Amino acid sequence: MSTILLTGANGFLGQAILNDLSQRHEVITICRRKLPGAPNQTHYEGTFSSSHDLMQLDAHRIDAVVHLAAVTGGCSEHDGMLVNVEGTRSLMRYLIDHGCKKFVNASSIAVVGLESPDFRPVSLPMADDHPCLDKHGYGFSKYMMEEVTRYLSRQNPAIDIINLRLAAIYPDEQPPAKIAQAKLGPWAAATITQMSRSEATGAFVSAVESACKPGLRILNATSKQAWSEGPTVELLRSWWGDDVDLSAMEASQDQRPSIFDTSSIARELNF
């Protein structure tokens, strides 16, 4: 049984991950308010970015962390940088200094810049390391979080860091309608990049329970198919016209291939 720290356990995804991991591991949670109890769970009230609050964890030897807590889309630039970037740096620095070796962080597909209707991908399907083209703040804060982890990985080559660029998540019991014809607007590419909460939970659980592999990995964590009613390429052509090379999508035997490359997460985590 490993000891795993989970941040963001009070959220929609965090609750599901807590319920899963606590069946097999000791799980430590930290957030501003009390949480419903779970097997093998110890909870502390506080924030992950506060060195004072993190001192409550000193008595535990933490083997791994699943870091979900963040400010999300629509946040201000100030909050994104303060919480998602500096907060993550503070948390990871504390854990590294206390011997933690494995870090699984929630990044976002928003890194690429899809919040803007002006977004055009560099190539399709988008690779795990697709560059950050965000100009609204949230995606940039997640990109800078990834860069902080890259910096910490260089300093500490023995640690294992996995950043999962996570898709939009829907409740398993209430899947949204699949996208047919839609106008190109903010977050358009996110509307066809959906995954269920159980899929997202599986991605994080697979990552944190995988064998330790020193280094840094950034992995697209999306479904293998686009959340579209008809062929993905037709929808993309109606959005982007000739601005984007769609030949790889046209060559796919799948009529609804994901616009994100998911081969790395399948290979690395068998997901």
Side-chain angles (χ1 to χ4, degrees), residues 29-75:
T29 56
I30 183 168
C31 65
R32 290 190 179 94
R33 60 183 177 83
K34 292 182 179 180
L35 294 176
N40 303 313
Q41 178 198 0
T42 302
H43 178 65
Y44 296 98
E45 291 186 48
T47 62
F48 68 87
S49 58
S50 166
S51 57
H52 180 269
D53 291 347
L54 290 173
M55 288 173 62
Q56 299 176 93
L57 309 179
D58 285 355
H60 301 276
R61 180 175 177 81
I62 295 171
D63 301 301
V65 59
V66 175
H67 177 39
L68 304 177
V71 291
T72 55
C75 67

Side-chain angles (χ1 to χ4, degrees), residues 3-226:
T3 299
I4 299 173
L5 175 66
L6 174 63
T7 72
N10 56 326
F12 174 65
L13 177 58
Q15 292 176 30
I17 292 176
L18 172 61
N19 290 336
D20 189 304
L21 290 178
S22 63
Q23 304 302 315
R24 299 176 301 284
H25 306 279
E26 178 186 3
V27 181
I28 311 297
T29 56
I30 183 168
C31 65
R32 290 190 179 94
R33 60 183 177 83
K34 292 182 179 180
L35 294 176
N40 303 313
Q41 178 198 0
T42 302
H43 178 65
Y44 296 98
E45 291 186 48
T47 62
F48 68 87
S49 58
S50 166
S51 57
H52 180 269
D53 291 347
L54 290 173
M55 288 173 62
Q56 299 176 93
L57 309 179
D58 285 355
H60 301 276
R61 180 175 177 81
I62 295 171
D63 301 301
V65 59
V66 175
H67 177 39
L68 304 177
V71 291
T72 55
C75 67
S76 69
E77 180 183 281
H78 174 269
D79 288 347
M81 297 299 285
L82 183 64
V83 177
N84 296 345
V85 184
E86 172 56 21
T88 299
R89 188 205 64 81
S90 297
L91 174 67
M92 290 187 64
R93 176 64 70 199
Y94 167 86
L95 292 170
I96 290 169
D97 289 347
H98 286 76
C100 185
K101 297 295 186 184
K102 192 173 188 70
F103 300 82
V104 180
N105 299 310
S107 187
S108 171
I109 58 170
V111 164
V112 301
L114 51 71
E115 181 177 351
S116 172
D118 298 329
F119 167 69
R120 300 293 186 273
V122 172
S123 61
L124 287 173
M126 284 179 270
D128 303 276
D129 59 354
H130 187 285
C132 177
L133 303 177
D134 180 68
K135 58 184 180 181
H136 291 276
Y138 169 61
F140 180 66
S141 75
K142 285 297 191 178
Y143 169 73
M144 291 304 294
M145 181 274 291
E146 292 178 355
E147 288 302 295
V148 164
T149 68
R150 196 182 302 277
Y151 161 72
L152 292 172
S153 178
R154 288 196 296 268
Q155 286 189 336
N156 304 274
I159 65 175
D160 179 7
I161 302 174
I162 302 174
N163 297 322
L164 296 181
R165 287 188 173 178
L166 191 62
I169 304 170
Y170 64 83
D172 291 70
E173 65 277 11
Q174 292 182 309
K178 291 188 175 181
I179 305 300
Q181 293 298 317
K183 292 182 179 179
L184 177 61
W187 299 101
T191 65
I192 62 168
T193 313
Q194 307 262 354
M195 67 190 309
S196 68
R197 181 164 71 162
S198 60
E199 286 181 303
T201 299
F204 279 93
V205 170
S206 295
V208 77
E209 291 186 335
S210 66
C212 193
K213 180 179 178 180
L216 172 72
R217 287 170 282 177
I218 297 174
L219 305 174
N220 289 328
T222 75
S223 293
K224 291 180 173 61
Q225 285 193 315

